[in-house]
Amino acid sequence: MIMSTGNTPEHADPAMSPAHATGLQSASASAAAPHAAYADQVHRAAQQSYSRKDDHVRLANSQHEAENRNSFDDVRFIHNSFPDIAVTDIDLHTDVLGARWELPFYINAMTGGSKQTGVLNASLAEAANATGISIASGSQHAALRDSSLTPTFATLREHTRGFLIANVGPSVTAAQAQQAVEMIDADALQVHVNAAQEIVMPEGDRDFRDWKASIDAIAETVQVPVIVKEVGFGMSQATIRYLYTTKAAAIDVSGKGGTDFITIENQRRKRSEFSYMTGWGESTVLSLMNVATVDNDVFGQNRPTQEGAERHCSKPQVIASGGVRTPLDVAIALSMGAQAVGVSGHFLHTLIASGTEGLIAEIERWKQQLGSIMTLLGARSLTELSRTDLVITGETAQEAEVLGISLKGYANRSVH
C-alpha cells in the first residue's frame, strides 16, 4: 500500500477507536469540560492524523529509494530455450472480482486525507486512466470523520474511468464502509488489517477483538466485492483458512519485503523502541505458498473426508502485493497463483521522482516487459504462466521446509 498513509486508520475518530472514544466521550460528558474544549480536542486529534499522513508518504518514499533484496529473489524461472511463441501472442488480461482487467498489475492502496496526498491521488489516478490499469484508494477513515477531506479521495474517480477500489479498516461500521464505497464510486472495497502496525503506532489500537465480526458485517452489507488485505506482514496458513470461511471475495496476502510499517511507526516514536521488530511477518512469496497449501488441504487431494469438514469454505481470489519491484516480481507472483498483483512503493517513488508522465512511462515499460518475460517462458496467458517451472531457494526454501511445504512440485509443473 503505500502502504504509507494508505492503510492507516485515523484513530482520532471516536466512532472508530475505542481508546479515543473513551477519552473524547469522557471529555464531552464531563460537566467541567465545555463544548469548546471538546471541539478543540477533536481538532487537535484530526490535525495529528493529517500530519501523520504526510509523514507516512515521506517515510515510505525514503524506504523505496533503495529497493532491497526480498523473497522474490529466492525464486527463479527455469529457462525455456524454445518458447515457440511471439510477443504478439501474449494475452495479459485477468478476471478480477467479476471484471476484466487488461493488465494483471495495478496501483495498490496509497494515500489521501491531506492537501499533499490529495494531489498525489489525482496524479496516481491520471496515470491509471492513461495506462488502463486499476487503482486502489488509501484508507478513507479521515474523510469518514471529516467530510471536508472527501475531495482528497474523490479525486481518484474524477481522474480515472477504470476499476477503482475503496479502502477502510475493520474499525469502521458496515454503514461507514458503504459510505466509503459511495464516496469514490468504487467497484470494490479493501478492508485492510494491520495489527502489527497498530501495536507500534503510538496512537494505534490495542484491542482487536471485534475485527472478525466487523469484517463479516462489512462483507454482508456493502454492495461491492470485498477484499481483505494485509498491509505488508503477509498471511499465515491459519489466517488464510479463516478467511476462506468468510464472505471475502478476494484476499491480498501483502507480505513483507516492501514498505515496512513497523519501521515507519517506530520512526514516529520518540525513543524508537520497537526497532527489533523490523522485518516482522511472512514474505509475499511464502504467503502465496501458504495459499497453495491451504487450497490443497481444503479443495485438493488432501481434502478431509469426514462429514462436514471444511464444507463451509469458499475459494476467494488471490491478490499478491508487498515488495513488488519489477515486472519479473509480477510474473513470479502471477505464476505462484495470484490473480493480480498490487504495486505501491515503487510506483509512489516513481511519481515523486519523475511526475505523472514519468509514472505513465514506467507503467507502460512494465506492461511491455511483462509481455517479454512471458514470451521468453512460452506462456501465452496467465493460466499458462501458472504452469511454468520455478526453483525456490534461500531463506524462503528454508522457511517452507520448516512449514512442511514441498518445493519439488513448483519445479516440475510443466510436466503435469
Side-chain angles (χ1 to χ4, degrees):
M1 327 202 109
I2 137 166
M3 301 175 160
S4 119
T5 32
N7 297 303
T8 306
E10 280 60 65
H11 296 302
D13 182 354
M16 298 179 190
S17 171
H20 281 75
T22 300
L24 294 180
Q25 289 168 359
S26 62
S28 178
S30 171
H35 177 76
Y38 171 69
D40 184 61
Q41 185 178 8
V42 173
H43 175 73
R44 289 198 307 271
Q47 289 301 116
Q48 180 185 48
S49 171
Y50 308 153
S51 64
R52 180 169 68 242
K53 285 187 167 291
D54 293 335
D55 283 346
H56 282 182
V57 169
R58 175 178 56 82
L59 293 170
N61 184 53
S62 67
Q63 283 191 22
H64 286 271
E65 288 177 352
E67 293 175 321
N68 297 318
R69 190 185 191 283
N70 63 32
S71 64
F72 285 107
D73 298 312
D74 290 337
V75 185
R76 70 173 181 86
F77 289 101
I78 294 179
H79 175 57
N80 179 1
S81 296
F82 297 98
D84 200 30
I85 62 172
V87 171
T88 53
D89 294 330
I90 302 302
D91 178 5
L92 291 177
H93 102 273
T94 185
D95 296 308
V96 180
L97 302 174
R100 178 186 172 97
W101 292 11
E102 295 305 319
L103 291 177
F105 61 89
Y106 67 104
I107 301 174
N108 212 353
M110 292 276 187
T111 192
S114 71
K115 182 178 180 179
Q116 174 191 349
T117 57
V119 172
L120 289 175
N121 268 347
S123 295
L124 290 167
E126 286 177 13
N129 193 62
T131 55
I133 67 172
S134 302
I135 182 171
S137 171
S139 172
Q140 294 167 250
H141 289 197
L144 292 174
R145 178 184 65 250
D146 181 353
S147 61
S148 70
L149 297 174
T150 296
T152 70
F153 298 98
T155 189
L156 290 164
R157 177 53 77 198
E158 291 168 2
H159 288 87
T160 183
R161 298 182 301 273
F163 196 96
L164 178 57
I165 305 171
N167 186 318
V168 297
S171 58
V172 304
T173 66
Q176 288 171 321
Q178 179 61 30
Q179 183 182 345
V181 170
E182 295 170 357
M183 182 189 304
I184 62 173
D185 189 21
D187 301 291
L189 173 69
Q190 283 183 349
V191 180
H192 65 260
V193 290
N194 63 335
Q197 179 188 6
E198 294 285 351
I199 286 295
V200 180
M201 188 189 304
E203 65 278 45
D205 276 346
R206 302 294 184 263
D207 186 346
F208 312 108
R209 290 174 292 184
D210 295 333
W211 276 19
K212 288 182 177 179
S214 176
I215 290 172
D216 286 342
I218 290 171
E220 289 273 1
T221 302
V222 298
Q223 299 172 15
V224 295
V226 169
I227 307 164
V228 177
K229 182 190 187 304
E230 249 293 351
V231 302
F233 303 104
M235 289 187 178
S236 67
Q237 292 181 31
T239 294
I240 294 161
R241 285 181 187 277
Y242 165 70
L243 289 172
Y244 279 21
T245 70
T246 71
K247 291 191 175 183
I251 62 174
D252 181 348
V253 297
S254 190
K256 69 177 182 179
T259 303
D260 190 323
F261 275 109
I262 283 181
T263 297
I264 285 176
E265 299 299 348
N266 194 49
Q267 288 177 305
R268 297 180 57 246
R269 301 181 73 94
K270 291 181 179 180
R271 298 177 58 189
S272 299
E273 61 266 39
F274 281 95
S275 59
Y276 56 84
M277 289 186 64
T278 296
W280 180 272
E282 279 67 58
S283 70
T284 303
V285 169
L286 189 65
S287 296
L288 288 170
M289 296 170 75
N290 284 335
V291 169
T293 300
V294 173
D295 284 355
N296 194 42
D297 288 348
V298 175
F299 304 107
Q301 295 178 349
N302 296 335
R303 183 174 182 174
T305 57
Q306 63 267 34
E307 181 66 24
E310 308 285 2
R311 65 184 178 185
H312 58 299
C313 289
S314 60
K315 178 69 173 76
Q317 290 189 299
V318 177
I319 296 171
S321 65
V324 178
R325 308 153 301 178
T326 67
L328 180 58
D329 293 345
V330 173
I332 289 171
L334 293 170
S335 76
M336 297 188 73
Q339 200 76 19
V341 179
V343 186
S344 300
H346 179 82
F347 285 166
L348 174 73
H349 182 64
T350 301
L351 175 64
I352 292 174
S354 304
T356 307
E357 293 302 318
L359 178 57
I360 291 171
E362 180 74 342
I363 293 171
E364 290 293 343
R365 281 192 291 269
W366 278 43
K367 174 183 177 180
Q368 295 169 4
Q369 291 172 23
L370 179 59
S372 296
I373 291 168
M374 289 176 62
T375 303
L376 184 60
L377 293 168
R380 293 174 176 81
S381 65
L382 301 192
T383 298
E384 292 186 6
L385 184 61
S386 69
R387 298 176 187 145
T388 54
D389 297 327
L390 299 170
V391 174
I392 302 172
T393 58
E395 182 177 330
T396 302
Q398 295 171 4
E399 292 177 335
E401 182 179 6
V402 171
L403 293 173
I405 299 173
S406 173
L407 302 178
K408 292 183 179 180
Y410 288 96
N412 296 286
R413 298 188 299 184
S414 63
V415 300
H416 297 295

